[in-house]
Amino acid sequence: MRRVFSTQAIQNAIEKSLPDFQKIAGSSGVRTQESVRRQFARDESHFVAPPPAVVLEPTNVEQVSQLLKLCNDRNIPVVPFGTGTGLEGGSMSILGGVCLSTQQVVGEPTLREQDFVCSVKPSTTRIALNDSIKHSGLFFPVDPGADASVCGMVATSASGTNAIRYGTMKENVVNLEVVLADGTVIDTKGKGRCPRKSSAGFNFTELFVGSEGTLGVITQATVKVHPRPQFLSAAVSSFSSVHQAASTVVEALQWSIPVARIELLDDVQIKACNAYSGLTLREAPTLFIEFHGSSEKEVADQTTAVEEICKSHEALDFDSGASPDKMAILWKARHNAYYAALSMRTGARGFTTDVCVPISKLADVISETRADLDEHGIHGTVVGHVGDGNFHVILPTIEEDKSEHRKIQSFSDRLVRRALAADGTCTGEHGIGLGKRKYLREELGENTVRLMHTVKKALDPRNIMNPGKVLPEL
C-alpha cells in the first residue's frame, strides 16, 4: 500500500502533539534534542536517513498503546526501535516522524521452567535473557551475534549460529503481545498461553515474526528455552577452497550428524579475524564446528564422523577437542567477524547482505559468489551459518566513494539473483527493511505481494507503522 506523507504536515502534527506525548510518557520520555535524535537515526546498515523529529520512550504497554492511538489519529508515522543492530535500515525514520524506542519497556524475564518457555519485555536482550535463566540449566539458543533485543529479533525473524540444531526465531516463538496501529493490544495465542502446539484459529504469531514493525509493536515475547547441553566440543577445519568446505557441510547434513553449529569463513575473513581477534588460524576457507551431547561418547562420535567427512573432502587440517576457553575465543572471533572485516579498511562502513539457498546448491552458490568478488576487485568476505544454507557477504565500503558504492550495489543484485535462481531467498535472517524491497516481488510473485498489502491495510489502514519498509510498491 502507498500513502504519501507530507514532511511539513508530519512536522506540524508532531509539534501540536508534543504536550500530549508528554502527558502519556512524561517529559523524560519525549526527547527532541538533536543529539538524542541522531543516536536513533542509524542502525548498523550502510543507509543514511534524517533523524526522527522526536524520540518517544514509553515505559509500559499502556503507554505504547496510547501513543500509537494518538499517532494513528493524527497521521504521524511511527518507527519502532530496539537496540539498533539491524542491517537493512529497518529501524530508520526515513520520513522523520516518531521513533518509538522500546528499550524503557522493562521487566524481569518470567521463566516457566517446567514448560520450557520464558516471557520477556522489549528491553531484554538475548544475553540478558540467558544471564537471567542460567541458574535453571536452560538457555535461549537463537544467537545472531549482536546482543539484540529478543523482541527485535522476533520482528526481524532473526537466526544465527545455533539455528541448524535449535531453529530460528520462527521456530522458537510461542506467543506475542502486540500493540496495533490504532492502539489495540492483542495476544497472538491468548493472554498468558504457552501451548507447545495449537490448531486454534489463524496463526497470528508467525504473521508478526518478521513483520519488521510494519504491522505493530511487539511489547512482550514468550519464547522457547532449551536444556543446556551437558557436554560440548568444537573443531576447526580448513580447506583449499570454499567449494570443498561447503561440500563438507552438505555431506555432514546428509549423514544426519546433529552438529550444533557449523560456520564457514572464507580465507579473507580468516585473515581479518586473525588480525582483529589475535588468532593464528591458517588463512584458508575454514569451518568452525560445535558439537552438543548428553555424554562424552556422543560428542566424540559426532566429532569422529565429521572428521572423516572433512578428510574425504581433502581438509588441510582438523583440530578438535578445544577447551571451553578456546571455544569461547573462537566463537567471539566469529561473532566479531563483521567488525574484523570493517577493520581491513580504515574509515569504512559495512555494507552487508545475506541470502539463503537450498543445501544442495550451497557449494556452487558460495563458490560463484567468492569468484564474483575476486573478478570485480571488490573488498569483501564470505561468512555464514552454512548448516542451514545461509551465508553473508560483508563489504567494507567508503561511503563517499559513489563509484565503489555502485559497484557494490551491482554485486548485491547479482548475489540475490544468483540465490533466487537457485530456488533460495533474498534474505535468510537480516530481513527486508529498506535494502531488499525491490527483490520481494521477484521472489514471492505479484499475487503474494498484493496479499501482503491487503494484510497491511487491514491492520494499519493509515500506513503509519514503519512506512516505506518491507512492502514493495504495487
Side-chain angles (χ1 to χ4, degrees):
M1 65 186 290
R2 186 169 188 266
R3 178 165 171 264
V4 177
F5 288 90
S6 161
T7 303
Q8 189 59 55
I10 293 171
Q11 189 63 38
N12 291 343
I14 288 176
E15 289 178 4
K16 175 185 174 183
S17 301
L18 287 177
D20 298 309
F21 290 154
Q22 290 173 347
K23 287 178 185 176
I24 296 169
S27 58
S28 63
V30 180
R31 314 288 295 279
T32 57
Q33 304 96 316
E34 183 177 356
S35 59
V36 173
R37 292 187 292 115
R38 290 198 175 279
Q39 290 176 29
F40 290 88
R42 300 196 74 157
D43 55 12
E44 292 287 346
S45 72
H46 63 281
F47 295 102
V48 178
V54 61
V55 177
L56 302 181
E57 296 183 318
T59 58
N60 55 53
V61 64
E62 291 79 16
Q63 290 183 5
V64 174
S65 173
Q66 293 173 49
L67 290 170
L68 284 187
K69 184 179 187 307
L70 182 62
C71 290
N72 190 58
D73 290 344
R74 298 182 183 178
N75 297 316
I76 300 172
V78 178
V79 178
F81 195 101
T83 54
T85 54
L87 294 166
E88 291 293 347
S91 59
M92 297 170 66
S93 300
I94 57 175
L95 299 175
V98 165
C99 171
L100 194 146
S101 170
T102 58
Q103 287 306 288
Q104 301 306 314
V105 183
V106 300
E108 287 298 314
T110 304
L111 176 65
R112 294 173 63 161
E113 191 171 335
Q114 293 182 326
D115 294 318
F116 297 94
V117 298
C118 189
S119 298
V120 298
K121 299 296 185 183
S123 61
T124 302
T125 65
R126 65 172 185 87
I127 292 178
L129 169 56
N130 276 319
D131 284 345
S132 73
I133 65 173
K134 61 185 178 183
H135 67 279
S136 68
L138 302 172
F139 81 118
F140 176 65
V142 185
D143 177 6
D147 188 22
S149 66
V150 176
C151 289
M153 290 166 62
V154 174
T156 57
S157 193
S159 182
T161 57
N162 284 320
I164 182 175
R165 178 146 182 170
Y166 298 99
T168 69
M169 285 305 296
K170 192 165 290 184
E171 289 80 41
N172 282 282
V173 177
V174 177
N175 198 354
L176 296 172
E177 178 185 78
V178 183
V179 184
L180 304 182
D182 65 357
T184 301
V185 182
I186 67 165
D187 295 273
T188 56
K189 290 294 184 186
K191 193 165 184 64
R193 303 193 186 281
C194 57
R196 298 298 288 180
K197 62 180 182 179
S198 171
S199 58
F202 295 156
N203 189 349
F204 286 130
T205 303
E206 282 205 12
L207 176 65
F208 288 97
V209 176
S211 60
E212 300 187 41
T214 61
L215 301 179
V217 178
I218 298 167
T219 49
Q220 180 170 285
T222 300
V223 296
K224 295 178 183 177
V225 290
H226 301 254
R228 285 186 179 275
Q230 294 175 277
F231 295 89
L232 299 88
S233 183
V236 177
S237 185
S238 60
F239 299 80
S240 59
S241 71
V242 291
H243 195 281
Q244 286 177 315
S247 296
T248 299
V249 174
V250 174
E251 186 169 344
L253 295 174
Q254 289 172 336
W255 282 99
S256 296
I257 301 170
V259 293
R261 301 199 249 194
I262 187 162
E263 299 284 300
L264 185 149
L265 296 81
D266 73 358
D267 57 320
V268 184
Q269 183 65 67
I270 290 292
K271 183 177 181 179
C273 286
N274 280 345
Y276 187 83
S277 298
L279 303 180
T280 56
L281 298 171
R282 185 196 296 261
E283 292 178 4
T286 299
L287 295 178
F288 288 6
I289 311 162
E290 186 169 291
F291 309 97
H292 293 177
S294 57
S295 67
E296 287 187 8
K297 183 179 185 305
E298 182 182 356
V299 168
D301 288 346
Q302 293 176 28
T303 305
T304 300
V306 170
E307 181 177 11
E308 291 176 359
I309 294 171
C310 289
K311 289 179 177 178
S312 74
H313 288 274
E314 301 178 3
L316 302 176
D317 50 41
F318 187 89
D319 181 13
S320 62
S323 67
D325 287 345
K326 185 175 180 181
M327 287 172 61
I329 291 170
L330 286 174
W331 289 117
K332 184 176 181 180
R334 166 61 187 91
H335 287 326
N336 286 336
Y338 175 74
Y339 302 104
L342 295 193
S343 71
M344 295 190 302
R345 298 186 74 188
T346 302
R349 187 165 180 88
F351 183 121
T352 182
T353 185
D354 83 310
V355 295
C356 189
V357 298
I359 292 297
S360 62
K361 309 288 181 65
L362 179 65
D364 289 341
V365 173
I366 287 183
S367 296
E368 291 164 10
T369 300
R370 182 66 259 175
D372 191 348
L373 289 168
D374 295 338
E375 179 184 343
H376 290 88
I378 297 173
H379 298 277
T381 69
V382 177
V383 56
H385 321 305
V386 286
D388 49 16
N390 181 208
F391 69 92
H392 312 260
V393 180
I394 305 171
L395 303 152
T397 180
I398 307 301
E399 287 185 338
E400 295 75 19
D401 189 334
K402 302 303 180 186
S403 174
E404 180 178 271
H405 189 79
R406 286 192 295 271
K407 181 191 288 189
I408 286 175
Q409 189 60 61
S410 295
F411 164 81
S412 180
D413 289 341
R414 292 193 299 273
L415 172 62
V416 169
R417 295 203 159 87
R418 187 178 300 123
L420 295 180
D423 299 326
T425 176
C426 67
T427 176
E429 62 182 15
H430 287 181
I432 296 295
L434 282 171
K436 294 195 169 177
R437 293 171 69 208
K438 62 183 179 180
Y439 306 120
L440 210 53
R441 179 175 282 103
E442 186 175 342
E443 178 171 334
L444 301 181
E446 180 66 27
N447 289 341
T448 302
V449 168
R450 287 186 177 277
L451 180 59
M452 289 176 65
H453 278 270
T454 300
V455 173
K456 169 73 167 171
K457 189 172 183 179
L459 296 181
D460 180 20
R462 296 190 176 187
N463 192 28
I464 69 159
M465 297 304 307
N466 211 2
K469 312 290 177 56
V470 183
L471 286 81
E473 300 291 355
L474 286 174

